[in-house]
Amino acid sequence: MDHQAPTLITSRPLDEYCQLFGLTRSRLGAVGGPVLDCPGGAAGLAAEARQLGCEVIAADPAYALAPAALTELARAGRRAIEAAARTDPRRYLPADRHSPEKYLRSWDRAHRIFTADRAAHPERYIAAALPRLPFADRTFALTLSSYLLFAYPEVFSAQAQLAALLELARVTRPGGEVRVYPLYDGAGRRCPHLPGLRAALGGHRIATEMRVVPAARPGARPHRLLVLRTPTREARRPRAQSFAAASG
């Protein structure tokens, strides 16, 4: 995957990350080690979480772009979400937001925070693309991956999804977790081969769980995450077992 792939660059704020991944500000601040946000997009997580005492490293191939080009991609992502929210607000708007304008104001703030923080701390924003990340094994206490692997099946085949998941597990510490959301594509279709992927991950000694995140407030809907728990030994590379071998 590269930054020209047809994926949206979004500017989700900290509270939306917490909602998506079943976290709270206090739990995020208590993570005992660095957190990886992959892909990080133009989100405010790295800057906002640091105020909680949590170190976050964001990785995204779009960070190889000039700042102006990345800003334009973020604006295009905002326009796409605004259009989608007007067409299907139940899917794209949180339960407590009744208009795209109110919802996207939080994105605008997150984008401003991201832009300022990346300029001040470029070392926290790494230009990198799955399935090869430039981090040592067992680096991160928690790894978050949103709106990528299952959201774009035209970009990530089943084998590419497996390779990416193994790479996220490789850079996550034993006892840590990889949390992936969503498990469906842009049309709301759930990944049909998720059981096969979980079986393949099990062949690499990586435990998986379908975790239900309760509704955050009245009127909201619960959702599910794919959670990976890393083994005590180093996760093996994707070539050790293919998706086809595990699912066949």
Side-chain angles (χ1 to χ4, degrees), residues 4 13 33 51 74 82 110 130-131 176 221 225:
Q4 297 180 3
Q51 298 178 8
E82 181 177 15
L130 289 167
R221 300 179 298 277
L225 307 175

Side-chain angles (χ1 to χ4, degrees), residues 118-191:
R118 185 175 177 232
H121 303 286
E123 72 280 0
R124 297 190 175 102
Y125 298 88
I126 308 300
L130 289 167
R132 294 288 177 179
L133 299 176
F135 306 117
D137 296 354
R138 307 178 178 187
T139 296
F140 299 99
L142 175 65
T143 296
L144 307 176
S145 184
S146 62
Y147 290 97
L148 183 66
L149 297 182
F150 300 112
Y152 298 96
E154 69 277 15
V155 176
F156 286 90
S157 66
Q159 192 64 46
Q161 288 168 342
L162 176 60
L165 290 168
L166 285 167
E167 183 71 350
L168 294 173
R170 179 188 69 79
V171 301
T172 305
R173 295 176 182 174
E177 291 184 344
V178 178
R179 300 188 185 189
V180 182
Y181 177 84
L183 308 181
Y184 50 80
D185 65 13
R189 297 179 294 245
R190 287 180 60 85
C191 175

Side-chain angles (χ1 to χ4, degrees), residues 35-147:
V35 173
L36 174 63
D37 181 19
C38 180
L45 179 66
E48 292 185 274
R50 191 163 61 254
Q51 298 178 8
L52 305 175
C54 178
E55 177 189 358
V56 175
I57 299 296
D60 198 299
Y63 298 155
L65 296 171
L70 180 53
T71 293
E72 182 50 43
L73 285 179
R75 288 172 177 166
R78 185 194 190 282
R79 291 192 295 268
I81 292 298
E82 181 177 15
R86 291 188 185 281
T87 302
D88 190 353
R90 179 175 173 82
R91 177 182 296 176
Y92 290 99
L93 289 181
D96 63 339
R97 304 295 175 93
H98 302 294
S99 70
E101 291 83 2
K102 182 177 180 180
Y103 172 49
L104 290 172
R105 279 200 291 270
S106 67
W107 281 38
D108 295 338
R109 177 180 178 274
H111 183 251
R112 291 192 297 269
I113 291 171
F114 161 81
T115 300
D117 194 63
R118 185 175 177 232
H121 303 286
E123 72 280 0
R124 297 190 175 102
Y125 298 88
I126 308 300
L130 289 167
R132 294 288 177 179
L133 299 176
F135 306 117
D137 296 354
R138 307 178 178 187
T139 296
F140 299 99
L142 175 65
T143 296
L144 307 176
S145 184
S146 62
Y147 290 97

